[in-house]
Amino acid sequence: MSEVPRDIQNREDINIMVRAFYDRLLNDDRISYLFGEVKGEHLEEHFDILCDFWESVLFFTGQYKRNTMLKHLSLHDKHALTSEHFQIWLAYFNETVDGLFQGEKSRLAKERAHSIAVIMQMKIKEMDQWGS
Ligand code: HEM
């Protein structure tokens, strides 16, 4: 009998997920240039922040107290974030989660990523309208 993939259970699992996800993102020229400022020496720090974020989302630990939306709006201000970028980001995220885990927390992660991506794109549109 083949082994059934298990669900995301703790920060170590999140760490594995985040690194596998960024392995895809940072190796795709269509999107990797947007990560210029966190690549290199800041990458470990960025992974730590992402682990805080996903641990708060999935296990309600509450240690992530930063403003995700504002970070991405200021990113968009420097380099346009397009719907193609969001499609690529989400496809890699879903592919990463599905390749490693399966279960309620895995579903929740994909659902949250999707709804945050929808809201981000709405805020970006608003910003573009007000800015023009
Ligand atoms: C077009 C899609 C996206 C791109 C290109 C992108 C890119 C980035 C970059 C470059 C950073 C580092 C910003 C910095 O430290 O200055 C970042 C941070 C982050 N991103 Fe995204 N992102 C995208 C979508 C999303 C989505 C949909 C989520 C929702 C889960 C998300 C969650 C985060 C979080 C939690 C951080 C850490 C923010 C902080 O420093 O507190 N991103 N993203």
Side-chain angles (χ1 to χ4, degrees):
M1 226 170 69
S2 66
E3 206 182 310
V4 179
R6 60 183 184 82
D7 204 359
I8 302 167
Q9 284 167 348
N10 50 38
R11 189 180 178 93
E12 188 44 38
D13 288 343
I14 290 170
N15 189 32
I16 291 167
M17 171 186 89
V18 162
R19 283 165 194 273
F21 174 44
Y22 267 67
D23 205 35
R24 287 171 163 89
L25 282 182
L26 299 183
N27 280 299
D28 186 330
D29 294 345
R30 294 172 301 167
I31 197 162
S32 62
Y33 68 94
L34 295 167
F35 293 84
E37 281 173 29
V38 293
K39 268 198 252 176
E41 59 182 307
H42 297 300
L43 198 53
E44 285 303 317
E45 192 188 325
H46 181 53
F47 285 161
D48 221 40
I49 294 169
L50 292 178
C51 287
D52 284 350
F53 172 81
W54 284 112
E55 222 183 346
S56 293
V57 169
L58 300 178
F59 301 108
F60 319 107
T61 49
Q63 79 268 49
Y64 181 85
K65 294 188 170 44
R66 296 156 66 93
N67 191 331
T68 315
M69 213 48 82
L70 209 60
K71 277 269 169 197
H72 293 81
L73 288 180
S74 83
L75 185 63
H76 175 67
D77 206 31
K78 289 185 219 142
H79 308 277
L81 298 184
T82 65
S83 61
E84 200 209 356
H85 289 132
F86 280 96
Q87 276 168 27
I88 296 167
W89 191 103
L90 280 170
Y92 282 146
F93 187 79
N94 292 339
E95 198 181 292
T96 306
V97 174
D98 289 341
L100 291 167
F101 302 104
Q102 189 182 308
E104 201 188 315
K105 297 291 183 189
S106 313
R107 271 194 302 278
L108 181 60
K110 290 184 286 178
E111 210 177 277
R112 279 298 151 82
H114 181 260
S115 48
I116 293 168
V118 169
I119 297 167
M120 258 179 206
Q121 288 176 92
M122 280 169 49
K123 299 269 177 204
I124 284 171
K125 251 193 203 150
E126 264 176 39
M127 182 173 141
D128 288 346
Q129 274 164 4
W130 287 107
S132 63

